[in-house]
Amino acid sequence: MNTNTTPDNRDINTLLPSLLKYTLAGGIVLFVLSFGFLYLSFKMNPSFFETYLDPMFNAGGDRDLLFYIHPFVLAAGLAILWYRFRKYLKGNVLVHGIEFGVMYGIVALVPILWITYSAISITLPTVLSWLVYGTTQACIAGVVFEWLHRRKAA
């Protein structure tokens, strides 16, 4: 049994509650801001979002719940990533969030969106909007996680 309890080597009994707290807080903030951002985007540029009327997209189906819980799934994955790499981030809360989000965008989103664009008939502006949207979500989550971390440390 490992008795080392440094922040990066805590056992699952102490790590899991922290990750759940970060997931819930990040998920709630991402849920509200993501859907607000999407609503405003549809209102500001409806012609751009007409591509989502394509039958390729599942609109109003039996998988809607999966769409609505995506901020929590994303927050869970980002919380694990952030928890592992937060020690490499420097600066204030906002800088941490932006650096974390950009890192996620480059490492995770660019490769998957590259393959998506190459394999599926979607436009480049659509893919770029997904990149901006996903990177923004990760930046927001990074700010929330760092804020929680600093609040706990104070």
Side-chain angles (χ1 to χ4, degrees):
M1 181 169 167
N2 185 359
T3 58
N4 186 354
T5 58
T6 62
D8 290 326
N9 295 318
R10 295 195 294 178
D11 67 15
I12 193 70
N13 294 328
T14 56
L15 180 61
L16 194 56
S18 292
L19 288 177
L20 288 175
K21 180 177 76 171
Y22 284 66
T23 296
L24 286 175
I28 290 168
V29 171
L30 286 177
F31 182 86
V32 171
L33 293 178
S34 293
F35 285 103
F37 177 70
L38 284 175
Y39 178 78
L40 288 175
S41 297
F42 279 97
K43 290 292 184 189
M44 292 172 50
N45 194 0
S47 61
F48 176 76
F49 291 98
E50 287 176 1
T51 59
Y52 290 98
L53 299 175
D54 189 291
M56 176 178 70
F57 294 101
N58 179 28
D62 57 344
R63 295 183 289 178
D64 284 354
L65 180 62
L66 297 175
F67 179 77
Y68 291 111
I69 64 171
H70 94 270
F72 296 94
V73 174
L74 178 62
L78 290 174
I80 294 167
L81 183 68
W82 179 85
Y83 205 86
R84 183 70 176 133
F85 290 100
R86 71 176 189 266
K87 63 186 172 192
Y88 300 110
L89 304 173
K90 304 293 182 219
N92 63 32
V93 172
L94 187 60
V95 171
H96 274 227
I98 292 170
E99 187 176 356
F100 177 76
V102 169
M103 176 184 65
Y104 171 77
I106 293 169
V107 172
L109 294 177
V110 168
I112 193 64
L113 291 176
W114 186 283
I115 193 102
T116 301
Y117 180 68
S118 70
I120 299 175
S121 181
I122 51 177
T123 66
L124 184 59
T126 298
V127 171
L128 293 175
S129 73
W130 292 348
L131 178 62
V132 169
Y133 180 62
T135 303
T136 301
Q137 284 182 310
C139 290
I140 292 167
V143 168
V144 170
F145 299 156
E146 182 60 24
W147 180 79
L148 286 172
H149 178 70
R150 289 186 185 203
R151 191 172 148 228
K152 181 178 76 170

